[in-house]
């Protein structure tokens, strides 16, 4: 006998999802060990560092987490002797942890730090100081002897300004530092420059680039970096005379794929040079592949289990550390031998049970602005018989950013729904990364219009194909995705219900509350103030809240500094005034993105109950 969609019994409880969802944050070869960072949901998302020998390197209550540019990244590194350098979440100072000792501060109190890079015993970092006006950021070298903790004058400031900095890297001879910087007038994926700084002379040279990311030294006289002047982030090589470029950058093995994506955090690495001249790189076209590029431009692909948001974290000899997720495996850290092709899982990375979590299927539908890419997770449960006289309800997911992307990865959080008979469609609307600059720039000037059109087209396309019940479609998104959720509900006619996690509701309010990194983001997505104020009003879901006539669930972190609670509370009040069914939940201690196990559990349980009411099913006990 068949079971109704939504009512299937499932082994994926909210608690098991929370327990299976640590966030991984980089990996390193450390002597004969491999270290990696991961969040601990049971400790409210504290980020620890662990070893392949089974020990915890960074004990509680210390947490390696940066707040530079608000989103952080690059909050830890280590040397071959097992000395850990990390940014502590509580005070944003950089600390040194010697085995068997207590952490010692290396930087003075006040500024935030991130993007740590340790090379030849020298520690580089991005510093952000928001205590004065104007706010200042810098590339600095931190003495590892702790002298700067009480004497800031011993810090070496290599580059400083009110703009933004990322990816510092020291030349092999230690005389120059390269980094990426951008003014803040545009976002780094729109325009960013490669800078080479001569330490002795104190002079910097700008290398002509479009949207450069991640410079790495190949040798004393050449740098490789990713840039997208042709519309795809491909690797480029530039020769140097000291810090001065000799000729224009030259592409290395260009491909119709991206090596890199939006520079939201400071720790990502999309490629690494090997000592023998090869370069190990990620190429993204929806999903990721790992390739080795030879000096003559030949590309060799590797059969690795990870194919989503892969970071090339470290290399030694022929060994490469990869972290990320995969369409058929759990998130993890892997060690790849590029000579033999052997891949060993270091942390996580277990194959998922395909009976419960079959690989998502990439789909493309026609939209009013061009093709729309998405990943379809159909309902799957080997212990039930699907109804033959019905089609499943679907939850359409909208990622945040909006300049980001999803990869169709296996996910217990998605299996929480699909195993119960609720399909999931994860949409990479126009504006997403992973498909080239032209696809990404479909959102310029059109946020609140183009991506809403795309999400509606994807949902309707699935229903028109007979794969989803057109009368039981819900939509969920967080942050910028929450904005799209509410904007889609304003349009009406497609979705039965909507779930907004810390979603944007009022553009003018967002512009006032925006932190530095995103202060001019909306200028490109909609237009600058005050000349575009009427557009801000017209496109804000709060302006048209009276058009929302379906139930809404609002989930919000009390300490969210990116999208403050006032945004969710404004739409809550508007819905309440009209008597629209809604629920608002404020989670104490949570910021932009839920990290605590209790919060993850409660949010999932509330979402399932909400969908049961909206779709008219009774969840299995």
């Amino acid at each position: 006998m068949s079971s109704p969609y939504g009512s299937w019994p499932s082994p994926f409880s909210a608690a098991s999802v929370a327990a299976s969802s640590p966030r991984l944050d980089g990996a390193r070869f450390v002597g004969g060990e491999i270290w990696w960072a991961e969040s601990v949901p049971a400790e409210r998302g504290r980020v620890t560092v662990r070893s392949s020998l089974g020990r915890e390197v960074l004990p509680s209550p210390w947490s390696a987490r940066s707040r530079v540019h608000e989103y952080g990244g690059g909050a830890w590194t280590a040397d071959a002797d097992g000395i850990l350098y990390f940014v502590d979440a509580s005070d944003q100072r950089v600390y040194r942890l010697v085995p068997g000792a207590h952490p010692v501060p290396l930087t003075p109190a006040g500024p935030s730090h991130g993007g740590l890079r340790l090379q030849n015993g020298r520690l580089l970092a991005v510093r952000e100081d928001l205590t004065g006006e104007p706010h200042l950021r810098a590339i600095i070298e931190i003495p590892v002897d702790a002298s700067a903790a009480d004497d800031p004058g011993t810090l070496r400031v290599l580059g400083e300004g009110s703009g933004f900095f990322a990816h510092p890297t020291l030349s092999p001879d230690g005389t120059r530092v390269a980094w990426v910087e951008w003014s803040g007038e545009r976002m780094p994926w729109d325009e960013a420059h490669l800078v080479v700084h001569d330490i002795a002379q104190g002079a910097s040279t700008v290398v002509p680039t479009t949207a450069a990311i991640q410079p790495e030294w190949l040798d004393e006289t050449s740098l490789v970096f990713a840039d997208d002047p042709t519309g795809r982030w491909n690797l480029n090589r530039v020769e140097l005379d000291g810090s001065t470029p000799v000729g224009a950058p030259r592409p290395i093995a260009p491909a119709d794929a991206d090596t890199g994506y939006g520079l939201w955090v400071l720790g990502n690495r999309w490629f690494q040079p090997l000592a023998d001249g090869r370069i190990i790189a990620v190429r993204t076209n929806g999903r990721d592949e790992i390739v080795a590029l030879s000096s003559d431009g030949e590309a060799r692909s590797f059969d690795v289990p990870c194919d989503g948001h892969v970071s090339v974290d470290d290399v030694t000899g022929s060994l490469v550390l990869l972290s990320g997720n995969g369409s058929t495996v759990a998130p993890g850290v892997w060690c790849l031998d590029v000579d033999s092709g052997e891949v060993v899982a270091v942390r996580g990375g277990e194959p998922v049970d395909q009976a419960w979590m079959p690989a998502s299927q990439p789909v493309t539908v026609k939209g009013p602005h061009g093709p729309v890419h998405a990943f379809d997770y159909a309902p799957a449960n080997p212990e039930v018989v699907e109804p033959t006289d019905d089609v499943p309800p679907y939850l359409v997911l909208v990622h945040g950013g909006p300049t980001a992307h999803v990869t169709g990865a296996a996910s217990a959080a998605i299996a929480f729904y699909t195993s119960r008979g609720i399909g999931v469609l994860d949409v990479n609307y126009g504006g997403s990364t992973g498909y080239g600059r032209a696809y990404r720039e479909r959102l310029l000037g059109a946020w609140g219009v183009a991506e809403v059109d795309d999400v509606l087209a994807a949902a309707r396309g699935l229903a028109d194909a007979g794969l989803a019940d057109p009368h039981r479609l819900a939509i969920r998104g967080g942050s910028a995705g929450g904005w799209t959720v509410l904007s889609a509900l304003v349009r009406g006619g497609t979705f039965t219900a909507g779930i907004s996690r810390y979603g944007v509701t009022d553009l003018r309010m967002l512009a006032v509350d925006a932190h530095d990194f995103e202060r001019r983001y909306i200028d490109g997505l909609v237009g600058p103030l005050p000349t575009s104020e009427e557009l801000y009003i017209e496109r804000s879901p709060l302006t048209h809240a009276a058009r929302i006539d379906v139930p809404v669930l609002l989930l919000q972190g009390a300490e969210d500094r990116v999208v403050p609670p006032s945004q969710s509370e404004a739409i809550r009040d508007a819905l309440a005034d009209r008597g629209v069914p809604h629920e608002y939940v404020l989670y104490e201690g949570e910021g932009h993105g839920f990290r605590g196990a209790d919060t993850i559990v409660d949010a999932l349980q509330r979402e399932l109950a909400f969908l049961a009411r909206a779709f008219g099913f009774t969840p299995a006990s």
Side-chain angles (χ1 to χ4, degrees):
M1 183 175 179
S2 64
S3 298
Y5 289 115
S7 299
W8 300 353
S10 169
F12 294 93
S13 66
S16 68
V17 172
S20 69
S21 57
R23 303 184 184 194
L24 300 174
D25 185 18
R28 300 285 185 275
F29 291 107
V30 181
E33 306 173 43
I34 294 173
W35 292 5
W36 66 89
E38 66 176 66
S39 66
V40 186
E43 298 180 39
R44 303 207 62 78
R46 180 180 77 87
V47 179
T48 186
V49 177
R50 300 190 187 278
S51 163
S52 54
L53 298 183
R55 62 189 179 90
E56 184 176 51
V57 178
L58 184 63
S60 179
W62 302 95
S63 178
R65 188 178 175 194
S66 167
R67 288 200 298 268
V68 171
H69 303 171
E70 196 59 42
Y71 297 103
W76 73 280
T77 188
D79 67 16
D81 296 324
I83 299 176
L84 175 70
Y85 300 89
F86 69 97
V87 179
D88 187 58
S90 65
D91 61 9
Q92 292 298 290
R93 300 173 78 180
V94 178
Y95 287 79
R96 183 191 67 214
L97 177 58
V98 175
H102 294 286
V104 174
L106 301 185
T107 56
S112 297
H113 302 84
L116 301 185
R117 191 77 188 269
L118 185 69
Q119 295 172 292
N120 299 326
R122 295 168 64 178
L123 182 61
L124 304 177
V126 179
R127 181 180 69 186
E128 182 173 57
D129 188 349
L130 307 180
T131 58
E133 290 293 341
H135 295 169
L136 293 176
R137 281 156 286 269
I139 298 292
I140 63 172
E141 182 177 346
I142 302 170
V144 297
D145 63 2
S147 59
D150 298 315
D151 182 7
T154 62
L155 292 168
R156 175 180 278 169
V157 178
L158 302 169
E160 186 173 37
S162 58
F164 299 85
F165 300 83
H167 291 146
T169 179
L170 186 68
S171 65
D173 64 3
T175 64
R176 289 153 295 159
V177 176
W179 63 74
V180 167
E181 69 177 60
W182 61 101
S183 69
E185 297 298 309
R186 301 184 70 188
M187 300 305 288
W189 42 85
D190 297 322
E191 181 179 309
H193 304 293
L194 171 61
V195 174
V196 182
H197 178 79
D198 186 300
I199 298 173
Q201 296 182 10
S204 297
T205 302
V206 176
V207 178
T209 55
T210 304
I213 49 177
Q214 196 196 331
E216 302 286 350
W217 294 89
L218 291 177
D219 52 44
E220 301 287 1
T221 61
S222 57
L223 276 167
V224 63
F225 60 95
D227 197 11
D228 71 340
T230 62
R232 284 289 203 175
W233 269 305
N234 283 176
L235 296 185
N236 290 263
R237 175 173 181 154
V238 63
E239 305 299 327
L240 300 168
D241 180 5
S243 59
T244 302
V246 179
R250 295 179 290 108
I252 300 173
D256 188 20
D258 287 318
T259 296
Y261 48 81
L263 190 53
W264 288 98
V265 298
L266 297 176
N268 288 339
R269 292 273 182 269
W270 296 280
F271 66 92
Q272 294 275 6
L274 297 179
D276 62 10
R278 289 177 294 175
I279 299 173
I280 304 302
V282 180
R283 283 180 171 173
T284 305
N285 192 34
R287 285 183 167 133
D288 295 350
E289 71 167 335
I290 305 301
V291 297
L293 306 177
S294 62
S295 57
D296 60 5
E298 182 180 347
R300 173 195 173 192
S301 297
F302 292 93
D303 183 11
V304 296
C306 47
D307 58 10
H309 291 141
V310 180
S311 180
V312 186
D313 290 321
D314 202 5
V315 298
T316 182
S318 65
L319 301 180
V320 179
L321 282 181
L322 307 171
S323 63
N325 53 47
S327 50
T328 60
V329 294
V333 175
W334 295 265
C335 184
L336 165 67
D337 188 320
V338 295
D339 287 341
S340 69
E342 181 185 14
V343 184
V344 177
V346 178
R347 195 282 184 226
E350 305 87 355
V352 299
D353 187 338
Q354 294 279 306
W356 289 98
M357 300 171 69
S360 63
Q361 297 302 306
V363 297
T364 303
V365 302
K366 292 182 179 179
H369 310 283
V372 182
H373 303 291
F375 292 96
D376 178 20
Y377 299 80
N381 185 319
E383 297 180 356
V384 301
V385 177
E386 292 194 42
T388 58
D389 58 351
D390 197 8
V391 289
Y394 257 77
L395 178 63
V396 176
L397 300 185
V398 188
H399 65 71
T403 313
H405 71 280
V406 292
T407 64
S411 165
I414 288 178
F416 178 81
Y417 294 106
T418 56
S419 62
R420 288 172 165 80
I422 302 169
V424 172
L425 184 69
D426 214 352
V427 183
N428 276 324
Y429 48 80
S432 301
T433 53
Y435 300 93
R437 180 178 277 264
Y439 195 79
R440 193 168 76 241
E441 290 187 342
R442 277 195 352 206
L443 208 55
L444 290 181
W447 193 36
V449 178
E451 91 284 8
V452 180
D453 291 341
D454 285 356
V455 169
L456 293 174
R460 291 168 181 164
L462 204 67
D464 291 345
L467 301 175
D469 185 343
H471 304 295
R472 291 186 295 171
L473 294 172
I475 182 171
R476 189 193 83 181
S479 190
W483 150 277
T484 304
V485 165
L486 297 169
S487 297
L489 297 185
V490 165
R491 297 273 191 99
T494 298
F495 295 108
T496 307
I499 301 169
S500 171
R501 291 184 170 205
Y502 36 89
V504 177
T505 66
D506 184 339
L507 276 184
R508 290 181 299 172
M509 193 185 306
L510 180 67
V512 170
D513 294 333
H515 55 96
D516 284 4
F517 178 74
E518 296 185 79
R519 193 164 300 280
R520 305 303 295 272
Y521 194 13
I522 310 173
D523 289 10
L525 295 174
V526 180
L529 287 173
T531 56
S532 301
E533 184 170 10
E534 290 303 315
L535 269 180
Y536 279 50
I537 296 170
E538 172 60 27
R539 292 193 189 169
S540 293
L542 185 61
T543 303
H544 308 290
R547 300 180 189 171
I548 299 177
D549 57 4
V550 298
V552 181
L553 174 62
L554 303 166
L555 304 175
Q556 177 70 46
E559 297 180 10
D560 193 333
R561 299 192 300 182
V562 178
V563 182
S566 56
Q567 291 268 354
S568 291
E569 290 165 0
I571 201 78
R572 173 203 63 187
D573 294 344
L575 295 172
D577 288 344
R578 294 186 55 255
V580 176
H582 69 280
E583 183 179 358
Y584 174 64
V585 185
L586 184 67
Y587 293 108
E588 296 296 332
E590 292 286 0
H592 197 66
F594 301 150
R595 295 175 179 269
D598 292 346
T599 302
I600 295 170
V601 168
D602 186 76
L604 284 173
Q605 291 175 338
R606 288 180 185 273
E607 288 179 359
L608 181 61
F610 174 78
L611 293 176
R613 294 191 296 270
F615 290 159
F617 65 82
T618 301
S621 57

